[in-house]
């Protein structure tokens, strides 16, 4: 089983739609969780960290369910500029101090006019 | 620009040649990471430095790969005797010891 699994998509949605991405991780000792965004042929950029209580940043909402080892990202009122690949990321150092990041394969989103 | 920089941005080489990439992290960042990304995959961890010490290596980092960070500032990643399977984007990231890693633009390697 892959350490971080995501539906690769693509998700093709109209502008203004709400879209949700899901991700599961295999190691219950994982402590830090993130969503990164990657545009075509560009580097990944941090979109938001994910906290147990859930967190929101404008149109983006992230949720973490530790019991189910499940992470989600909700994008409301999609914009054309949201078109990108969304990477679910887990911190790989289970001892507590920072280590490498473990990435899912990414979910591709295409927002159409 | 005070972000992570990488050089070169693109490298085309023939199988069997050696290549070296450079990464300059954000200046106050003491941690530096190398990742590799192939088409359709997320980045995969290769190795990690804290200051000049190489603290972790992935099993992906075969003996043809070596990384250094001699003065705790910039880092180099060398691949010896390149193979076609080494073709990928090589990404460098840096951090201050918080969880947020900031990535450079990457070096795209093509091995012919």
């Amino acid at each position: 089983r892959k350490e971080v699994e995501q539906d690769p998509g693509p998700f093709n949605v109209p502008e203004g739609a709400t879209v949700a991405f899901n991700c599961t991780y295999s190691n219950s000792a994982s402590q830090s969780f993130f969503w990164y965004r990657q545009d075509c042929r560009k580097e990944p950029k941090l979109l938001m960290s994910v906290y147990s209580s859930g967190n929101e940043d404008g149109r983006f909402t992230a949720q973490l369910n530790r019991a189910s080892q499940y992470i989600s990202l909700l994008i409301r009122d999609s914009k054309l500029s949201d078109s990108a690949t969304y990477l679910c990321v887990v911190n790989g150092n289970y001892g507590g101090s920072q280590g490498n990041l473990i990435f899912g394969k990414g979910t591709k989103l295409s927002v159409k006019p | 620009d005070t972000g992570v920089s990488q050089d070169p941005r693109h490298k085309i080489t023939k199988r069997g040649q050696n290549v070296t990439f450079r990464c300059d992290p954000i200046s106050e960042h003491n941690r530096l990471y190398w990742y590799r990304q192939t088409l359709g995959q997320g980045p995969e961890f290769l190795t990690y430095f804290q200051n000049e010490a190489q603290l972790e290596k992935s099993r992906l980092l075969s003996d043809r790969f070596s990384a250094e960070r001699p003065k705790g500032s910039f880092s180099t990643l060398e691949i010896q005797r390149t193979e076609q399977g080494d073709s990928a984007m090589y990404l460098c990231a840096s951090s201050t010891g918080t969880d947020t890693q900031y990535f450079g633009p990457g070096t795209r390697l093509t091995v012919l």
Side-chain angles (χ1 to χ4, degrees):
Chain A
R1 181 184 173 187
K2 294 252 183 220
E3 290 191 76
V4 179
E5 294 204 62
Q6 302 180 244
D7 180 347
F11 284 57
N12 298 308
V13 303
E15 271 188 291
T18 295
V19 61
F21 305 139
N22 304 317
C23 164
T24 57
Y25 60 96
S26 61
N27 194 315
S28 59
S30 302
Q31 298 187 14
S32 303
F33 310 89
F34 313 91
W35 285 99
Y36 274 71
R37 170 193 168 129
Q38 188 170 27
D39 292 291
C40 188
R41 303 181 78 83
K42 300 283 191 182
E43 72 273 21
K45 293 186 178 177
L46 178 67
L47 179 66
M48 57 198 304
S49 299
V50 187
Y51 304 115
S52 296
S53 54
N55 48 300
E56 187 173 311
D57 182 1
R59 298 180 294 108
F60 298 84
T61 301
Q63 298 273 354
L64 168 64
N65 184 322
R66 284 187 182 272
S68 302
Q69 294 177 210
Y70 172 94
I71 307 163
S72 66
L73 177 68
L74 184 76
I75 306 175
R76 291 181 299 278
D77 189 22
S78 301
K79 311 291 185 192
L80 296 177
S81 57
D82 294 334
S83 297
T85 296
Y86 290 83
L87 297 161
C88 178
V89 186
V90 171
N91 189 303
N93 188 317
Y94 307 118
S97 60
Q98 185 187 11
N100 56 291
L101 298 178
I102 300 173
F103 287 80
K105 288 187 177 183
T107 298
K108 187 171 182 180
L109 172 65
S110 182
V111 182
K112 307 292 187 185
Chain B
D1 186 348
T2 57
V4 179
S5 62
Q6 292 187 244
D7 184 69
R9 297 290 304 277
H10 299 92
K11 178 71 177 177
I12 300 173
T13 191
K14 292 183 179 178
R15 187 163 49 95
Q17 299 294 304
N18 299 343
V19 294
T20 300
F21 310 141
R22 176 178 170 128
C23 170
D24 286 88
I26 294 170
S27 61
E28 64 270 23
H29 286 186
N30 62 340
R31 301 187 186 210
L32 187 149
Y33 303 79
W34 285 98
Y35 293 83
R36 181 177 72 185
Q37 186 173 23
T38 53
L39 197 62
Q41 304 293 319
E44 296 174 292
F45 169 73
L46 292 178
T47 190
Y48 150 54
F49 291 86
Q50 181 162 323
N51 300 312
E52 66 274 13
Q54 188 172 16
L55 296 186
E56 192 175 349
K57 292 188 210 180
S58 161
R59 57 184 168 77
L60 291 176
L61 209 68
S62 75
D63 57 6
R64 295 185 299 106
F65 288 69
S66 62
E68 294 183 342
R69 194 182 183 197
K71 296 183 180 178
S73 56
F74 72 92
S75 175
T76 57
L77 177 69
E78 181 183 16
I79 309 174
Q80 297 182 326
R81 305 181 304 280
T82 52
E83 302 172 355
Q84 288 185 323
D86 297 331
S87 294
M89 174 78 89
Y90 290 84
L91 292 160
C92 175
S94 70
S95 71
T96 57
T98 64
D99 286 340
T100 303
Q101 294 183 23
Y102 296 90
F103 284 80
T107 295
R108 185 170 296 279
L109 173 66
T110 302
V111 182
L112 301 176

